[in-house]
Amino acid sequence: MDSLTQAVLGASVTVAVMGRRTSFAKAALVGAVAGTVPDLDVLIDHGDDLLNMVRHRAESHALFFLTLAAPLLGWLTHKLVDRKAPAGAPNLTARWSLAWLLALLTHVGIDAMTSYGTQFLQPFTDHAFAVGSVFIIDPLYTLPLLLGLLWSGLRTRRGVDWRGPNRWALIFSCCYLLWSVGAQHQVRSVAQQALAEQGVHNVPDAQLFVYATPFNTVLWRVLAITPTHSYEGFYSLLDQGQHIPLTATERGQEYLQRWASVPAVQAMQRFTQGPIRMELRNGRVLLTDLRMGQEPHYSFVFDLGTPAQLDAGQTQPHKVSAVLSSGLDLAGLVDRILGRDLRAPVATVHP
């Protein structure tokens, strides 16, 4: 998720855990830091742009390492934050440790709900878990948490019980995530039927992915992957009927097979678990992650070099795209969410 969401989530969790044991401001500040710390791995250079992508959300998001780090961070926080506590005050090391643990684990949990992928079982496996039921920026998740936190903060100045708004905001956020998974499951069922009707579902080794579109959990992107093509469609829970028009795009099967042994291609294949494309454009080989974005706008497109360089094993991938747009303007996105399909399919599917 975006940095604001992670900071607000961390602050909300820490405030809930610490309660009246420390000041609201201290708990919120420590929680915001705790919610931000795992993403500092973006500052690490792994050697090239593609490795920086696939190594993001790896060890820094591993449950094993975070669980080991939480007691140390809790002890350090107690020493720094509570150093002026009066004699006889309770030792809050254990409570701060619990707050750090939950703030770190919820950071990992909400990241895993997006389509990017989170390797939270490092160092035992580098499998990237990705539910894809929420977009990386979703105001319906973030704003309630932020409002609950601010409301609780304002109530502390009035000398009344301030914990309720923050607590209810956390409950709402959990319910929203459950809703997103349920909505995704519903769209997946519709998509399976639509793909079967159009013959895509019957293609051997076909994969189906369903991703939330920007800022909402009503409009969903359906992505089917076969060895030769990707098939893309959109379905809103407010659509009339269950037909999903699909557009077909070649995935560059020839190139994927030709350079399957290239480490960069293997890393991307392992990280995405299937939805990638290779193409030759202007004499350069481009590798695209098809999970984030839509045709023809994608967040992660990498230039691997010339065909001769790949054949010689000489690659230095660099990113040539960082688009987070859905390809529709905001007004068009809202119209499509409401069930008004503004775009005709680029190509009819003929498997």
Side-chain angles (χ1 to χ4, degrees), residues 146-219:
L146 181 59
L147 292 175
L149 190 65
L150 293 176
W151 190 1
S152 287
L154 292 174
R155 287 172 66 92
T156 61
R157 299 186 177 185
R158 296 168 52 189
V160 298
D161 189 352
W162 48 265
R163 293 170 292 181
N166 183 65
R167 188 178 299 158
W168 281 110
L170 283 169
I171 293 173
F172 176 85
S173 70
C174 293
C175 292
Y176 183 74
L177 293 181
L178 290 174
W179 148 261
S180 74
V181 172
Q184 183 187 44
H185 178 75
Q186 170 62 22
V187 175
R188 180 179 294 276
S189 298
V190 174
Q192 287 174 336
Q193 179 178 345
L195 292 173
E197 291 173 351
Q198 299 177 62
V200 178
H201 194 66
N202 298 323
V203 176
D205 300 324
Q207 297 174 285
L208 172 61
F209 302 89
V210 177
Y211 300 125
T213 60
F215 319 131
N216 77 103
T217 52
V218 177
L219 177 63

Side-chain angles (χ1 to χ4, degrees), residues 23-320:
S23 72
F24 175 90
K26 289 180 180 179
L29 179 59
V30 171
V33 172
T36 303
V37 163
D39 282 340
L40 295 181
D41 66 339
V42 297
L43 301 177
I44 301 173
D45 186 358
H46 294 280
D48 62 60
D49 291 344
L50 193 147
L51 284 178
N52 289 341
M53 173 193 173
V54 301
R55 297 306 303 167
H56 178 44
R57 297 189 186 177
E59 286 83 1
S60 69
H61 287 60
L63 303 182
F64 178 75
F65 295 126
L66 295 180
T67 302
L68 291 179
L72 175 61
L73 294 169
W75 173 83
L76 183 61
T77 301
H78 173 65
K79 291 297 182 182
L80 295 176
V81 173
D82 302 323
R83 65 182 183 277
K84 295 183 179 180
N91 189 317
L92 296 179
T93 299
R95 203 72 185 184
W96 280 118
S97 298
L98 177 61
W100 269 96
L101 178 63
L102 294 181
L104 293 171
L105 295 187
T106 52
H107 176 117
V108 173
I110 189 64
D111 271 351
M113 300 299 291
T114 68
S115 60
Y116 187 94
T118 306
Q119 300 171 51
F120 57 74
L121 290 185
Q122 286 277 4
F124 309 107
T125 175
D126 58 3
H127 180 85
F129 296 87
V131 177
S133 65
V134 291
F135 191 66
I136 59 171
I137 302 174
D138 192 329
L140 288 179
Y141 180 84
T142 307
L143 288 179
L145 283 176
L146 181 59
L147 292 175
L149 190 65
L150 293 176
W151 190 1
S152 287
L154 292 174
R155 287 172 66 92
T156 61
R157 299 186 177 185
R158 296 168 52 189
V160 298
D161 189 352
W162 48 265
R163 293 170 292 181
N166 183 65
R167 188 178 299 158
W168 281 110
L170 283 169
I171 293 173
F172 176 85
S173 70
C174 293
C175 292
Y176 183 74
L177 293 181
L178 290 174
W179 148 261
S180 74
V181 172
Q184 183 187 44
H185 178 75
Q186 170 62 22
V187 175
R188 180 179 294 276
S189 298
V190 174
Q192 287 174 336
Q193 179 178 345
L195 292 173
E197 291 173 351
Q198 299 177 62
V200 178
H201 194 66
N202 298 323
V203 176
D205 300 324
Q207 297 174 285
L208 172 61
F209 302 89
V210 177
Y211 300 125
T213 60
F215 319 131
N216 77 103
T217 52
V218 177
L219 177 63
W220 297 81
R221 176 175 178 247
V222 173
L223 179 65
I225 299 295
T226 71
T228 59
H229 289 78
S230 63
Y231 299 90
E232 180 185 70
F234 293 85
Y235 181 77
S236 170
L237 297 176
L238 302 179
D239 279 350
Q240 300 295 320
Q242 297 187 338
H243 178 67
I244 303 178
L246 297 173
T247 63
T249 307
E250 291 188 2
R251 293 181 56 230
Q253 183 184 31
E254 174 188 351
Y255 301 133
L256 288 169
Q257 292 177 343
R258 176 178 174 181
W259 292 304
S261 62
V262 173
V265 179
Q266 292 181 337
M268 179 71 93
Q269 180 72 41
R270 183 171 59 251
F271 184 67
T272 64
Q273 298 159 52
I276 62 175
R277 177 175 69 213
M278 290 190 79
E279 59 186 314
L280 188 62
R281 187 186 305 171
N282 299 324
R284 311 290 294 186
V285 179
L286 302 184
L287 181 63
T288 301
D289 181 345
L290 300 177
R291 300 171 304 161
M292 289 164 280
Q294 74 167 77
E295 289 294 336
H297 309 281
Y298 287 101
S299 303
F300 295 99
V301 181
F302 298 91
D303 183 337
L304 301 186
T306 65
Q309 288 174 323
L310 266 71
D311 288 336
Q314 301 171 350
T315 59
Q316 186 65 26
H318 67 273
K319 187 165 62 175
V320 295

Side-chain angles (χ1 to χ4, degrees), residues 333-347:
L333 180 64
V334 171
D335 282 338
R336 187 62 191 88
I337 290 172
L338 296 176
R340 296 190 286 269
D341 193 351
L342 305 180
R343 305 174 304 141
V346 176

